[in-house]
Amino acid sequence: YSNMARGLAGATRYRSSLARQLKQNLSKMRYKKLLNGRSVGLVLAGLGLAGGASIAEEEESQRASSEEPLFRFGVIADVQYADIDNATSFGGGEYRFYRGTLDSLAKSIDWWNLHYPDIQFIANLGDLIDGQNAGGYGAGLNFSEPQSAVALERVVSQFRRSLCPTVHHAIGNHELYNFDREQLHSHLFKDKTPPLSEAPGATPSQLYYSFRPHPQWRFLLI
């Protein structure tokens, strides 16, 4: 258990650093002139470790750009939902609102629906649910049975409310604490997620692929 805790703490710190860097990079990229003077709009809704751009920041970015972007997409990361009490992370440096993230996700979807109903896709960067849902460590030891499927369905149901037609899910370490790749395929590759036939290279056990939201842009989902 102690080795697992140290490993999880290290992974959490690493993901926290990546998430913060991602937010900074996306903020710098937002509405930057690209592709012969055209831009791409990034509409951020941050949760968990990633934080996020505030509505005020987004409106300021909009005012700063008078041009119409090539396309817009939403980004969200690290929901890490679990039906457990709030607690610090394994490293002790962050306080987690496990139940509250579901409400935050719902508010993010509502915000996109209200302000950006025409975004082309939503990119979920991973860790939709927390590893403790599997019941193997932490507060999950108090579950009478694993809550992985229940927790993931509660989160995915929020994405179904989005007016956005497409959601692309990257697989985080916490998904793999709860499911194998075949199980994740059965849960995530349905509803608003493109079928594997439209995701070259992806299979039920190999959930990485590329897609083109615009002829001049290719996204790699890894």
Side-chain angles (χ1 to χ4, degrees):
Y1 176 79
S2 61
N3 289 337
M4 177 183 288
R6 285 194 294 271
L8 290 173
T12 296
R13 288 192 296 272
Y14 179 66
R15 285 187 61 84
S16 178
S17 175
L18 285 179
R20 284 193 293 269
Q21 186 62 49
L22 173 67
K23 179 189 173 184
Q24 293 170 2
N25 290 343
L26 291 179
S27 296
K28 291 175 183 178
M29 285 179 60
R30 195 187 300 122
Y31 297 109
K32 182 183 290 185
K33 289 184 179 298
L34 299 168
L35 299 177
N36 298 321
R38 300 298 298 281
S39 64
V40 174
L42 306 177
V43 185
L44 303 180
L47 290 172
L49 301 178
S54 68
I55 294 177
E57 290 174 326
E58 183 59 38
E59 290 175 345
E60 181 179 353
S61 295
Q62 285 183 312
R63 288 192 295 270
S65 175
S66 59
E67 62 186 30
E68 183 66 20
L70 294 172
F71 59 93
R72 290 186 176 93
F73 64 98
V75 177
I76 200 163
D78 292 283
V79 178
Q80 285 191 221
Y81 168 72
D83 187 13
I84 58 177
D85 293 338
N86 301 338
T88 59
S89 62
F90 278 103
E94 296 164 333
Y95 197 69
R96 302 286 177 80
F97 300 87
Y98 293 101
R99 293 189 182 98
T101 59
L102 197 61
D103 182 60
S104 295
L105 174 59
K107 291 178 180 177
S108 298
I109 298 296
D110 291 341
W111 188 76
W112 275 324
N113 286 345
L114 178 62
H115 296 282
Y116 292 94
D118 60 341
I119 55 176
Q120 192 162 336
F121 65 91
I122 294 172
N124 156 47
L125 304 187
D127 285 358
L128 285 177
I129 62 174
D130 194 83
Q132 295 173 85
N133 284 290
Y137 68 93
L141 295 171
N142 298 321
F143 293 144
S144 59
E145 59 183 6
Q147 296 297 300
S148 303
V150 173
L152 187 59
E153 175 58 27
R154 288 175 180 170
V155 173
V156 171
S157 66
Q158 294 300 323
F159 285 100
R160 294 192 191 109
R161 298 192 305 105
S162 172
L163 298 177
C164 177
T166 304
V167 179
H168 292 283
H169 294 287
I171 305 304
N173 57 314
H174 280 267
E175 278 87 356
L176 295 175
Y177 295 153
N178 287 276
F179 304 100
D180 60 33
R181 286 175 172 79
E182 287 80 5
Q183 291 170 327
L184 283 171
H185 166 257
S186 67
H187 285 288
L188 294 180
F189 275 74
K190 58 183 182 180
D191 299 326
K192 291 178 178 289
T193 306
L196 290 179
S197 61
E198 299 178 12
T203 69
S205 61
Q206 179 177 297
L207 301 179
Y208 52 86
Y209 58 91
S210 67
F211 63 96
R212 285 185 176 274
H214 184 276
Q216 294 175 290
W217 281 80
R218 181 186 295 275
F219 283 73
L220 305 179
L221 199 72
I222 57 176

